[in-house]
Amino acid sequence: METAEFISVLDREGRALAAAAAEAGPDAKVPTCPEWQVRDLLRHTGAVHRWATSFVGLADPSYRPFGDPPDLDGDALLDWFREGHGRLVATLSAAPPGLECWHFLPAPSPLAFWARRQAHETAVHRVDAESACGRGPEETARDLDPAFAADGVDELLRGFHARGKSRVRTETPRVLRVRATDAAGAAWTVRLSAEPPVTERDTGGGAAADHDCEVSGPAALLYLSLWNRAPFPTVTGDATTAALWREKSAVG
């Protein structure tokens, strides 16, 4: 996907998140994030949007943590979220392709990184907001394009969980296969050990590597399940390997 496509997704998903949050109300529980109410979801995502905007807008080369959200609620909180989301979309859209700024995963460029990362950040949290309205993963997944969802799986497996921070580790080596059934070239082999996972993407349609467990299904449902927002669509082989992912894979 191109950077402009990610920005378009970010724009759409942020608007949908705000609409679902308004429908659910700030007190509503968020089933996909059991410790949160909708107000917590808006405060978190809004703070992340402003954090990302600061790096891109200022071409800032240095890391800094994102700031605390303001003590707002109700319509004022929704307005704050919408304003920050709109500013992020505008800042990414106006940024030069050669932008240099801090980013934390491998990417073709810092601008490509931030557009991709914020599109996925916002899409997953839009699903959270929809869950507060009583909508299940099958319904919320319908709005996710398979190619975008497969890209999100790739970012998670080959980006986040390639880092030393990943807690998906096991003293007994195992191999997890992840396969989308509706997107070309969307299969991954994840080798688990006492070290951070090592993931290879199969884009050529070759024979699958030997594995202990495979999780498979439509790309959108795989995306949500690997981010622990939905059950795995289909699990074959050693189910304890899938359970290990569920237990250890939260991204902090």
Side-chain angles (χ1 to χ4, degrees):
M1 292 179 62
E2 299 295 328
T3 295
E5 295 176 278
F6 285 118
I7 296 172
S8 178
V9 172
L10 167 63
D11 187 21
R12 182 176 66 250
E13 293 289 334
R15 293 173 188 273
L17 191 164
E23 177 184 340
D27 296 326
K29 296 289 187 181
V30 181
T32 49
C33 298
E35 296 181 0
W36 279 359
Q37 294 174 294
V38 165
R39 62 172 55 87
D40 301 305
L41 175 63
L42 288 172
R43 289 168 179 166
H44 167 80
T45 313
V48 171
H49 284 171
R50 283 166 167 76
W51 181 68
T53 299
S54 69
F55 292 111
V56 176
L58 299 174
D60 193 336
S62 302
Y63 166 79
R64 63 177 178 279
F66 58 83
D68 294 329
D71 187 19
L72 299 173
D73 210 345
D75 289 344
L77 178 59
L78 266 169
D79 290 343
W80 174 82
F81 171 83
R82 288 184 172 117
E83 191 276 332
H85 167 252
R87 192 190 314 163
L88 173 60
V89 170
T91 300
L92 288 167
S93 298
L99 169 76
E100 293 293 337
C101 67
W102 181 84
H103 60 294
F104 62 89
L105 294 178
S109 70
L111 179 59
F113 165 81
W114 282 112
R116 180 196 202 195
R117 175 82 291 278
Q118 290 308 299
H120 289 300
E121 175 84 12
T122 307
V124 170
H125 286 317
R126 186 270 298 170
V127 168
D128 293 332
E130 297 274 5
S131 80
C133 297
R135 299 179 191 118
E138 294 278 356
E139 184 176 359
T140 58
R142 283 200 290 265
D143 293 327
L144 294 169
D145 177 75
F148 173 75
D151 180 83
V153 172
D154 194 71
E155 184 202 41
L156 181 64
L157 296 180
R158 297 203 299 156
F160 279 100
H161 285 288
R163 302 184 302 168
K165 291 182 178 181
S166 177
R167 298 187 306 111
V168 186
R169 305 187 187 209
T170 172
E171 293 301 321
T172 303
R174 308 182 198 185
V175 179
L176 173 67
R177 179 80 168 167
V178 177
R179 180 173 59 86
T181 55
D182 60 348
W188 298 262
T189 298
V190 186
R191 301 185 186 280
L192 305 176
S193 69
E195 300 298 320
V198 175
T199 301
E200 298 174 356
R201 184 168 183 173
D202 172 15
T203 58
D210 290 339
H211 53 270
D212 299 289
C213 174
E214 180 181 82
V215 295
S216 61
L221 287 177
L222 275 182
Y223 177 57
L224 297 183
S225 66
L226 289 165
W227 275 106
N228 294 324
R229 263 56 181 195
F232 289 119
T234 302
V235 176
T236 56
D238 178 17
T240 64
T241 301
L244 173 69
W245 181 275
R246 183 71 68 190
E247 178 186 357
K248 299 289 188 179
S249 64
V251 172

